[in-house]
Amino acid sequence: MLWGVGVVSVMAQEKEISHIETTKNWYYIFDGDGKKIKTLYRSGYGDIKGWGKDFFVTKRGAYYLICDAQGKTLKTLGAQSVGEVISVSSTTFTSRLGVWIYTWDKAGKRIRTRGAQK
């Protein structure tokens, strides 16, 4: 019985991101119910490029940070190897580097490569 309660409480902590509001100095991360999940200091993360259901991508200097809904950095990737992030969806993000389009998972693993359309 206690095992089931622990599983429910862990699942309740895994919030899905529905919206991120930005101000001059702060990011406010909200869930689907409009409840604030986390407040993060903007300069620690850089500029948000987009978010999926349980992660967001920012660019800080020469690096992209992939972070979870609590603001924990899951992976740091060099911008020279990623290119420009062009979209973020529920579980992946897409970048363009030269004539190539890359699809990445939230763990920072490149899962697909294709040529860009001309």
Side-chain angles (χ1 to χ4, degrees):
M1 185 70 102
L2 291 176
W3 180 82
V5 172
V7 170
V8 171
S9 66
V10 169
M11 291 174 64
Q13 292 175 354
E14 296 175 9
K15 299 283 186 169
E16 289 190 4
I17 300 170
S18 74
H19 182 70
I20 299 177
E21 291 183 16
T22 62
T23 64
K24 183 176 181 181
N25 294 315
W26 301 97
Y27 291 130
Y28 302 99
I29 302 173
F30 293 90
D31 67 12
D33 295 326
K35 183 179 176 189
K36 191 185 314 177
I37 300 171
K38 194 75 174 176
T39 301
L40 303 170
Y41 192 56
R42 189 174 184 160
S43 70
Y45 292 88
D47 296 324
I48 288 185
K49 297 301 177 182
W51 64 86
K53 69 177 188 168
D54 58 357
F55 76 105
F56 61 95
V57 179
T58 66
K59 185 173 183 191
R60 185 176 67 189
Y63 297 95
Y64 284 102
L65 304 177
I66 305 168
C67 303
D68 68 10
Q70 296 295 318
K72 178 183 174 193
T73 301
L74 302 172
K75 186 74 173 185
T76 302
L77 300 170
Q80 287 184 336
S81 62
V82 173
E84 179 185 349
V85 171
I86 54 177
S87 71
V88 182
S89 68
S90 67
T91 59
T92 62
F93 68 98
T94 306
S95 68
R96 180 181 183 140
L97 181 60
V99 298
W100 299 104
I101 302 289
Y102 300 117
T103 302
W104 307 80
D105 67 13
K106 71 178 184 179
K109 180 181 175 188
R110 190 167 50 205
I111 56 176
R112 197 169 301 114
T113 303
R114 67 174 176 85
Q117 301 296 316
K118 295 193 185 230

